[in-house]
Amino acid sequence: MKKEQLLRTKPVESILKDLHQHPELMEGEIHADLHGKLSRKLKVRDLVGFGIAAIVGAGIFSTIGKAAFNGGPGISLLFIFTAVACAFSALCYAEFASRIPVSGSAYTYAYASFGELAAWIIGWDLLMEYAIGNIAVAISWSDYFTSFLRGFNIHLPLWATMDFLTAYRGFNAGDATSDAYQAWANAPQIGGLHLVLDLPALMIVFFITYLVYRGIHESRTASNMMVLLKLCVIFMVIVIGAFYINPDNWHPFLPNGMSGVMKGVSAVFFAYIGFDAISTTAEECENPQRDLPLGMMYSLIICTVLYVTLSLVLTGLVSYTELNVGDPLAFVFERLGMPWISGIVAFSAIIAMASVLLVFQMGQPRIWMSMSRDGLLPRKFAQIHPKFHTPSFATIVTGCLVAIPALFMNLTEVTDLTSIGTLFAFVLVNAGILILDERNNIPRGKFSVPYINGKYIVPVLVVAIFVGWYALSPDGFTDFFTKGNNWNELKHKLPFWLFMFLAIYTAIRAFVKSYSLIPVLGLLSCFYLMTELGWTNWLRFLIWLIIGLVIYIFYGYNHSKLRHLNTK
């Protein structure tokens, strides 16, 4: 296995040539004909709809409550900071999408900038992001759906609406009054195995997978309808809630300091995941080089305004100490004696999360398809349905990989892993733009990241970060470098050590190479957010990447079309 082959990039010209002149690469086993192509039907408004559909979901309807509980009203600052970090990445995604209007998202972009090994790593990472992210959304959807049914006095068996891990741990905790204990105790058994299954999660994944399988037209129509409904409900919540705000609830604004706010990184960032999924629809856009950048930026701006406004309204209606609940929007209005609004919110949450599932289930098969075209996965994954013009086999596999784990896993286990995977993708996309900028032989698209010379700004900014850290917390600064030398303490510092190394290295490179400021800011801000997700999530993420590396060594490397082309 030669280093040159692992790092060999796929030229942008080759990627575009494969798309336009060799449609058989898009079809797997199907012969080249009109039935093997994806349908170009998406416009800017459809992409904005998909973006909002993906972003506004489980994050705003469930995880925002826990984030507000930890950070207080100041959580609105984290929404702004996270939005800025995402905006830097969105600009870089937009430039890539304009330069390389091909399905595959960050995987294809990495292939063109970093090389095959990095492309495989990011492709494998994206599979985790979309699959595990959708597992989390399916679980949240199930919780809201069962709560909605209970409002009509329809009660499903607890063992049929709860994941296996939660029930098992609840039973071992010994609290006989808890739902988890009752679910385990009353579950049917087969050979001593308790059948505790989240059946509503399975149901919604199968339905959405069928919708995505049928075609982009059906997916677009369903997405636009669901987006319109949930935007109306969120606007209603903001307008009605504004009349019941008690400003005293905003004091103190940072009850647990910035450390409390940063505890919500995973939950808040999870609320923004999704805008990058738009880039997987490049081959289904009427004018991808123009429309993809606009779709990403418009959807991100709209959702940021909604999130910041909603977080302030939410923490103004009740004390932040009461928001550690799974359905915060419904809870606050029930708390204020308006259960009818709670019912509307619960129904809109069902619709909102279904739309998130739709976009992610649409995005993941197109990643598989792109990897299959390059030979890194079996050809079957690139097969396009002759009637529906969708990656049919990859869509079915995606549905199974999301539906089955959703039966058994709980929300806590998957949310953080989704966030770290997405942030890693953002880091590579930002870095990829810096690499492409150094290569003058790569054609530019209709959109480019605005160039601001970071030659002096980046080094000054990095120095300011360390000086500000010492000025705000001299004891914390000193303790970080002098205490905790045993492994149990040192391992929790490793992510931040990596960040410091990356920041210093990037500052030096920026000074030498006059790097563009925006990709650098996106790179550093996203990597910093990764450090806030804890050692456990880093370890799980590394294990996932190692599994992917083993698959690449034994299959992808040997079947790579780029490798065989270069050999010839």
Side-chain angles (χ1 to χ4, degrees):
M1 187 176 293
K2 297 180 180 180
K3 176 182 177 182
E4 293 79 9
Q5 292 175 335
L6 295 178
L7 300 179
R8 192 180 299 276
T9 60
K10 188 174 183 180
V12 175
E13 297 87 348
S14 176
I15 295 174
L16 298 178
K17 183 179 179 181
D18 287 344
L19 174 65
H20 295 299
Q21 297 185 12
H22 300 284
E24 69 274 7
L25 293 176
M26 297 166 50
E27 309 167 31
E29 302 298 330
I30 299 176
H31 294 293
D33 55 32
L34 292 177
H35 298 299
K37 298 180 181 179
L38 300 174
S39 300
R40 292 190 178 274
K41 295 184 177 181
L42 301 180
K43 300 179 180 179
V44 174
R45 64 174 181 272
D46 301 314
L47 295 173
V48 173
F50 277 131
I52 296 174
I55 297 172
V56 179
I60 200 64
F61 283 97
S62 60
T63 56
I64 187 178
K66 183 177 180 181
F69 174 77
N70 290 322
I75 199 67
S76 58
L77 299 177
L78 185 55
F79 273 111
I80 296 174
F81 174 73
T82 307
V84 171
C86 288
F88 295 143
S89 300
L91 289 170
C92 294
Y93 263 97
E95 177 169 337
F96 265 123
S98 182
R99 287 190 180 198
I100 314 174
V102 179
S103 294
S105 187
Y107 160 76
T108 303
Y109 309 155
Y111 216 152
S113 53
F114 290 102
E116 184 171 284
L117 179 60
W120 169 266
I121 291 173
I122 196 62
W124 187 250
D125 167 61
L126 288 173
L127 296 182
M128 179 192 72
E129 173 195 338
Y130 289 141
I132 295 184
N134 253 0
I135 292 170
V137 175
I139 294 169
S140 294
W141 186 92
S142 175
D143 291 341
Y144 266 95
F145 179 71
T146 53
S147 297
F148 183 72
L149 291 182
R150 284 196 294 270
F152 293 94
N153 203 29
I154 300 175
H155 299 275
L156 300 178
L158 290 174
W159 58 266
T161 61
M162 187 175 296
D163 65 273
F164 185 91
L165 287 175
T166 298
Y168 176 74
R169 292 168 180 171
F171 183 81
N172 288 335
D175 183 4
T177 62
S178 69
D179 288 345
Y181 185 99
Q182 293 297 322
W184 184 268
N186 297 320
Q189 301 181 38
I190 298 179
L193 177 65
H194 291 251
L195 291 182
V196 183
L197 308 170
D198 197 341
L199 293 180
L202 178 73
M203 176 186 69
I204 188 60
V205 172
F206 279 171
F207 172 74
I208 293 296
T209 301
Y210 170 76
L211 193 63
V212 172
Y213 183 89
R214 286 298 302 266
I216 193 67
H217 175 75
E218 290 78 3
S219 300
R220 177 191 65 183
T221 303
S223 173
N224 289 342
M225 291 175 60
M226 289 188 283
V227 165
L228 181 62
L229 176 61
K230 66 182 177 183
L231 285 181
C232 289
V233 171
I234 291 175
F235 183 72
M236 179 195 70
V237 168
I238 292 174
V239 171
I240 296 177
F243 290 98
Y244 294 88
I245 288 177
N246 180 4
D248 292 339
N249 289 325
W250 288 333
H251 302 285
F253 193 70
L254 298 172
N256 300 313
M258 284 304 298
S259 61
V261 171
M262 296 310 294
K263 286 182 180 179
V265 164
S266 175
V268 170
F269 186 77
F270 186 73
Y272 278 102
I273 289 176
F275 73 86
D276 56 311
I278 303 175
S279 60
T280 65
T281 65
E283 292 169 33
E284 289 148 297
C285 298
E286 291 184 355
N287 189 344
Q289 292 182 309
R290 181 199 66 190
D291 295 347
L292 279 172
L294 293 176
M296 289 183 195
M297 295 310 300
Y298 287 165
S299 58
L300 190 60
I301 291 170
I302 292 170
C303 291
T304 299
V305 173
L306 288 176
Y307 280 178
V308 173
T309 306
L310 196 57
S311 64
L312 290 173
V313 170
L314 197 64
T315 53
L317 291 174
V318 299
S319 171
Y320 72 93
T321 59
E322 301 180 48
L323 291 174
N324 192 20
V325 294
D327 53 349
L329 298 188
F331 167 79
V332 293
F333 285 102
E334 192 169 325
R335 173 81 164 70
L336 295 173
M338 291 182 280
W340 63 276
I341 296 183
S342 297
I344 294 176
V345 169
F347 177 73
S348 66
I350 295 173
I351 301 300
M353 293 180 193
S355 69
V356 176
L357 277 167
L358 174 65
V359 178
F360 274 27
Q361 287 297 91
M362 186 175 62
Q364 185 175 350
R366 285 150 180 81
I367 303 291
W368 295 75
M369 179 184 70
S370 296
M371 297 176 73
S372 176
R373 289 178 187 170
D374 295 323
L376 303 184
L377 288 176
R379 286 173 59 86
K380 189 73 173 176
F381 285 93
Q383 179 175 309
I384 304 298
H385 196 282
K387 179 180 179 182
F388 302 130
H389 308 290
T390 57
S392 51
F393 179 76
T395 299
I396 294 173
V397 173
T398 296
C400 294
L401 289 180
V402 173
I404 296 173
L407 290 170
F408 308 103
M409 299 179 71
N410 63 33
L411 191 61
T412 304
E413 303 291 334
V414 297
T415 304
D416 290 350
L417 200 54
T418 304
S419 295
I420 197 171
T422 307
L423 283 166
F424 181 69
F426 287 3
V427 166
L428 285 189
V429 168
N430 283 286
I433 291 295
L434 297 175
I435 292 176
L436 287 190
D437 285 344
E438 295 181 11
R439 301 175 185 168
N440 298 323
N441 60 335
I442 297 178
R444 290 189 174 273
K446 296 181 180 179
F447 176 85
S448 297
V449 175
Y451 179 78
I452 302 173
N453 193 339
K455 182 180 183 68
Y456 300 108
I457 299 176
V458 174
V460 170
L461 182 62
V462 171
V463 171
I465 289 174
F466 290 104
V467 171
W469 179 18
Y470 180 79
L472 294 174
S473 179
D475 293 337
F477 182 89
T478 304
D479 291 346
F480 182 86
F481 292 99
T482 59
K483 294 184 179 180
N485 294 324
N486 63 78
W487 172 245
N488 287 332
E489 296 181 0
L490 183 61
K491 65 184 181 182
H492 297 290
K493 296 181 179 180
L494 283 179
F496 197 78
W497 274 107
L498 290 175
F499 170 75
M500 290 192 294
F501 172 79
L502 178 65
I504 294 171
Y505 175 78
T506 304
I508 295 173
R509 294 282 295 180
F511 182 79
V512 174
K513 297 287 186 178
S514 297
Y515 276 166
S516 176
L517 179 62
I518 290 177
V520 171
L521 293 178
L523 171 69
L524 295 180
S525 59
C526 288
F527 200 92
Y528 172 73
L529 290 174
M530 287 180 68
T531 67
E532 293 290 335
L533 295 177
W535 164 253
T536 302
N537 291 302
W538 277 73
L539 181 61
R540 292 172 179 171
F541 180 59
L542 289 174
I543 292 173
W544 174 260
L545 293 185
I546 290 172
I547 294 172
L549 190 60
V550 171
I551 296 174
Y552 172 74
I553 291 172
F554 288 99
Y555 183 89
Y557 177 79
N558 294 320
H559 292 82
S560 167
K561 291 183 179 180
L562 184 62
R563 174 175 175 265
H564 290 300
L565 182 64
N566 291 329
T567 301
K568 291 179 182 179

